[in-house]
Amino acid sequence: MDLTRRQALALGSATLAIASLSGLPAFASLTDEAITALTGGADVTEGGIDLIAPEIAENGNTVPVEVSAPGAVEIALFAAGNPTPAVATFKFGPLAGSRSGSTRIRLAKTQQVVAIAKMEDGSFRKTSATVKVTIGGCGG
Amino acid sequence: MASGVKPRVKVPKKAAAGDVVTIKTLISHKMESGQRKGDDGALIPRSIINRFTADFNGQNVIDVTIEPAVSTNPYFQFEALVPEAGEFKFTWYDDDGSVYETAKKIAIG
């Protein structure tokens, strides 16, 4: 079959669209479920929380991330593209010097890392960062 | 008990009363995620540290719930308020039920 350049491009973009469509629902539901389990369905506002993650991680086995949210009692981290989205939850006690923490996490592929903070007044804050992963960190 | 587990903690030797100090902790642990397959194609069962806590003189500083997505040799950095001289106590809880503990004293000065 002879394809003109124009046809080839159209085909390519159609395939891409289908791929992204089929990928999205699974991504949304797992992470959303985990977030709803944490918030109990309460509204989550953007901002008021910082998430520092590298833009590009060469090795998905150890990606350094840092979260801070002044006034938070709890910060939960989720990796939307991992087989299980939950990563870690920091709960701050009476002697926490600041509402921040850093750790190293595994990312299976290029994906969004989401941080949800539960504030002292019971409200929830959210932020996310996209991390490009060159080598995935879940084995296989 | 998983083999070769060794906690390492970095706490300043002294601080002024009311100071906020940065604490770094690391524990060597393979953190088997339960997603990997072995040579025979069977899944390697999950074996991770699922919780880490830090306390100062009996009061909690931080309590971390850990999932398999935390890297091998889990590392945590956080800040703690030091109201008086005393001892930090760090505890890691393994999936297999073992508990690893270490403590560091801090002086006021």
Tab-separated table of all heavy atoms in Angstrom, chain A residues 96-124:
chain	number	residue	atom	x	y	z
A	96	ALA	N	7.449	18.242	65.074
A	96	ALA	CA	7.944	18.430	63.705
A	96	ALA	C	8.408	19.877	63.553
A	96	ALA	O	7.689	20.801	63.902
A	96	ALA	CB	6.848	18.107	62.707
A	97	GLY	N	9.628	20.055	63.075
A	97	GLY	CA	10.202	21.397	62.946
A	97	GLY	C	9.624	22.150	61.779
A	97	GLY	O	9.566	23.375	61.774
A	98	SER	N	9.222	21.456	60.752
A	98	SER	CA	8.565	22.073	59.608
A	98	SER	C	7.694	21.012	58.970
A	98	SER	O	7.901	19.822	59.212
A	98	SER	CB	9.596	22.587	58.605
A	98	SER	OG	10.269	21.485	58.017
A	99	ARG	N	6.727	21.451	58.197
A	99	ARG	CA	5.835	20.475	57.574
A	99	ARG	C	6.426	20.069	56.231
A	99	ARG	O	5.904	20.412	55.178
A	99	ARG	CB	4.440	21.070	57.407
A	99	ARG	CG	3.882	21.602	58.715
A	99	ARG	CD	3.908	20.502	59.757
A	99	ARG	NE	3.914	21.037	61.107
A	99	ARG	CZ	2.968	20.794	61.982
A	99	ARG	NH1	1.935	20.069	61.653
A	99	ARG	NH2	3.066	21.266	63.193
A	100	SER	N	7.584	19.410	56.297
A	100	SER	CA	8.238	19.026	55.051
A	100	SER	C	8.980	17.714	55.247
A	100	SER	O	9.273	17.302	56.368
A	100	SER	CB	9.214	20.116	54.614
A	100	SER	OG	10.265	20.197	55.542
A	101	GLY	N	9.274	17.065	54.147
A	101	GLY	CA	10.023	15.829	54.210
A	101	GLY	C	10.536	15.496	52.828
A	101	GLY	O	9.963	15.919	51.820
A	102	SER	N	11.641	14.770	52.773
A	102	SER	CA	12.077	14.307	51.455
A	102	SER	C	12.452	12.848	51.534
A	102	SER	O	12.822	12.324	52.588
A	102	SER	CB	13.235	15.141	50.921
A	102	SER	OG	14.123	15.476	51.924
A	103	THR	N	12.327	12.182	50.414
A	103	THR	CA	12.650	10.778	50.329
A	103	THR	C	13.006	10.442	48.886
A	103	THR	O	13.094	11.324	48.048
A	103	THR	CB	11.477	9.908	50.849
A	103	THR	OG1	11.871	8.553	50.844
A	103	THR	CG2	10.240	10.061	49.984
A	104	ARG	N	13.239	9.175	48.622
A	104	ARG	CA	13.540	8.735	47.262
A	104	ARG	C	12.509	7.691	46.864
A	104	ARG	O	12.232	6.789	47.653
A	104	ARG	CB	14.946	8.129	47.195
A	104	ARG	CG	16.013	9.163	47.462
A	104	ARG	CD	17.369	8.524	47.543
A	104	ARG	NE	18.364	9.467	48.032
A	104	ARG	CZ	19.420	9.108	48.738
A	104	ARG	NH1	19.617	7.849	49.039
A	104	ARG	NH2	20.281	10.020	49.134
A	105	ILE	N	11.981	7.831	45.665
A	105	ILE	CA	10.888	6.946	45.279
A	105	ILE	C	11.165	6.247	43.956
A	105	ILE	O	12.078	6.603	43.231
A	105	ILE	CB	9.540	7.699	45.209
A	105	ILE	CG1	9.542	8.730	44.075
A	105	ILE	CG2	9.234	8.367	46.518
A	105	ILE	CD1	8.192	9.363	43.840
A	106	ARG	N	10.342	5.222	43.670
A	106	ARG	CA	10.444	4.473	42.429
A	106	ARG	C	9.348	4.941	41.477
A	106	ARG	O	8.193	5.071	41.882
A	106	ARG	CB	10.206	2.985	42.687
A	106	ARG	CG	11.333	2.313	43.409
A	106	ARG	CD	10.950	0.863	43.685
A	106	ARG	NE	12.044	0.182	44.330
A	106	ARG	CZ	11.894	-0.710	45.294
A	106	ARG	NH1	10.683	-1.019	45.714
A	106	ARG	NH2	12.923	-1.283	45.828
A	107	LEU	N	9.707	5.162	40.235
A	107	LEU	CA	8.726	5.511	39.221
A	107	LEU	C	8.869	4.538	38.062
A	107	LEU	O	9.956	4.348	37.535
A	107	LEU	CB	8.930	6.951	38.747
A	107	LEU	CG	8.735	8.033	39.811
A	107	LEU	CD1	9.052	9.398	39.244
A	107	LEU	CD2	7.330	8.016	40.369
A	108	ALA	N	7.737	3.918	37.660
A	108	ALA	CA	7.775	2.888	36.632
A	108	ALA	C	8.015	3.471	35.253
A	108	ALA	O	8.602	2.832	34.398
A	108	ALA	CB	6.475	2.102	36.652
A	109	LYS	N	7.523	4.704	35.013
A	109	LYS	CA	7.637	5.315	33.696
A	109	LYS	C	7.444	6.816	33.842
A	109	LYS	O	7.197	7.295	34.947
A	109	LYS	CB	6.579	4.728	32.757
A	109	LYS	CG	5.168	4.918	33.294
A	109	LYS	CD	4.140	4.244	32.427
A	109	LYS	CE	2.749	4.505	32.995
A	109	LYS	NZ	1.729	3.689	32.402
A	110	THR	N	7.525	7.526	32.736
A	110	THR	CA	7.267	8.964	32.757
A	110	THR	C	5.838	9.202	33.224
A	110	THR	O	4.909	8.590	32.722
A	110	THR	CB	7.474	9.540	31.347
A	110	THR	OG1	8.823	9.338	30.977
A	110	THR	CG2	7.139	11.003	31.304
A	111	GLN	N	5.677	10.041	34.218
A	111	GLN	CA	4.358	10.185	34.821
A	111	GLN	C	4.274	11.402	35.722
A	111	GLN	O	5.240	12.120	35.928
A	111	GLN	CB	4.054	8.962	35.652
A	111	GLN	CG	5.085	8.745	36.753
A	111	GLN	CD	4.771	7.539	37.575
A	111	GLN	OE1	3.928	7.606	38.443
A	111	GLN	NE2	5.435	6.427	37.298
A	112	GLN	N	3.059	11.596	36.254
A	112	GLN	CA	2.823	12.686	37.188
A	112	GLN	C	2.952	12.185	38.615
A	112	GLN	O	2.450	11.116	38.950
A	112	GLN	CB	1.414	13.225	37.009
A	112	GLN	CG	1.297	14.252	35.913
A	112	GLN	CD	0.188	15.224	36.219
A	112	GLN	OE1	-0.876	14.808	36.633
A	112	GLN	NE2	0.438	16.490	36.017
A	113	VAL	N	3.644	12.967	39.438
A	113	VAL	CA	3.702	12.682	40.864
A	113	VAL	C	2.769	13.679	41.532
A	113	VAL	O	2.847	14.873	41.260
A	113	VAL	CB	5.136	12.825	41.397
A	113	VAL	CG1	5.175	12.587	42.891
A	113	VAL	CG2	6.056	11.848	40.684
A	114	VAL	N	1.856	13.184	42.374
A	114	VAL	CA	0.848	14.037	42.981
A	114	VAL	C	1.070	14.068	44.490
A	114	VAL	O	1.331	13.039	45.105
A	114	VAL	CB	-0.575	13.519	42.676
A	114	VAL	CG1	-1.627	14.444	43.251
A	114	VAL	CG2	-0.774	13.345	41.177
A	115	ALA	N	1.007	15.248	45.079
A	115	ALA	CA	1.101	15.372	46.532
A	115	ALA	C	-0.194	15.990	47.043
A	115	ALA	O	-0.687	16.973	46.489
A	115	ALA	CB	2.289	16.248	46.915
A	116	ILE	N	-0.774	15.368	48.085
A	116	ILE	CA	-1.997	15.871	48.699
A	116	ILE	C	-1.676	16.169	50.159
A	116	ILE	O	-1.115	15.332	50.855
A	116	ILE	CB	-3.125	14.813	48.672
A	116	ILE	CG1	-3.354	14.277	47.259
A	116	ILE	CG2	-4.403	15.373	49.277
A	116	ILE	CD1	-4.236	15.083	46.396
A	117	ALA	N	-2.013	17.374	50.609
A	117	ALA	CA	-1.773	17.729	51.998
A	117	ALA	C	-3.091	17.905	52.718
A	117	ALA	O	-4.016	18.524	52.179
A	117	ALA	CB	-0.962	19.018	52.080
A	118	LYS	N	-3.167	17.339	53.924
A	118	LYS	CA	-4.335	17.579	54.768
A	118	LYS	C	-3.938	18.685	55.734
A	118	LYS	O	-2.969	18.548	56.485
A	118	LYS	CB	-4.685	16.300	55.518
A	118	LYS	CG	-5.953	16.408	56.325
A	118	LYS	CD	-6.218	15.110	57.071
A	118	LYS	CE	-7.519	15.230	57.823
A	118	LYS	NZ	-7.718	14.089	58.710
A	119	MET	N	-4.680	19.792	55.711
A	119	MET	CA	-4.301	20.943	56.503
A	119	MET	C	-4.913	20.853	57.906
A	119	MET	O	-5.793	20.016	58.163
A	119	MET	CB	-4.762	22.243	55.819
A	119	MET	CG	-4.362	22.328	54.363
A	119	MET	SD	-2.599	22.120	54.075
A	119	MET	CE	-2.016	23.764	54.351
A	120	GLU	N	-4.455	21.763	58.810
A	120	GLU	CA	-4.945	21.744	60.188
A	120	GLU	C	-6.450	22.007	60.256
A	120	GLU	O	-7.141	21.507	61.139
A	120	GLU	CB	-4.196	22.800	61.016
A	120	GLU	CG	-2.929	22.227	61.611
A	120	GLU	CD	-1.858	23.270	61.846
A	120	GLU	OE1	-2.089	24.456	61.535
A	120	GLU	OE2	-0.775	22.897	62.324
A	121	ASP	N	-6.976	22.804	59.310
A	121	ASP	CA	-8.413	23.113	59.340
A	121	ASP	C	-9.256	22.041	58.650
A	121	ASP	O	-10.463	22.222	58.467
A	121	ASP	CB	-8.675	24.488	58.714
A	121	ASP	CG	-8.214	24.575	57.267
A	121	ASP	OD1	-7.789	23.537	56.724
A	121	ASP	OD2	-8.263	25.670	56.688
A	122	GLY	N	-8.635	20.951	58.230
A	122	GLY	CA	-9.383	19.855	57.620
A	122	GLY	C	-9.521	19.956	56.115
A	122	GLY	O	-10.088	19.073	55.492
A	123	SER	N	-9.026	21.050	55.517
A	123	SER	CA	-9.117	21.163	54.063
A	123	SER	C	-7.955	20.409	53.412
A	123	SER	O	-7.009	19.989	54.091
A	123	SER	CB	-9.088	22.629	53.632
A	123	SER	OG	-7.836	23.190	53.940
A	124	PHE	N	-8.019	20.240	52.095
A	124	PHE	CA	-7.003	19.491	51.385
A	124	PHE	C	-6.370	20.344	50.296
A	124	PHE	O	-7.041	21.104	49.625
A	124	PHE	CB	-7.614	18.220	50.768
A	124	PHE	CG	-8.014	17.218	51.804
A	124	PHE	CD1	-9.307	17.211	52.310
A	124	PHE	CD2	-7.102	16.300	52.283
A	124	PHE	CE1	-9.682	16.297	53.279
A	124	PHE	CE2	-7.482	15.377	53.243
A	124	PHE	CZ	-8.754	15.375	53.744
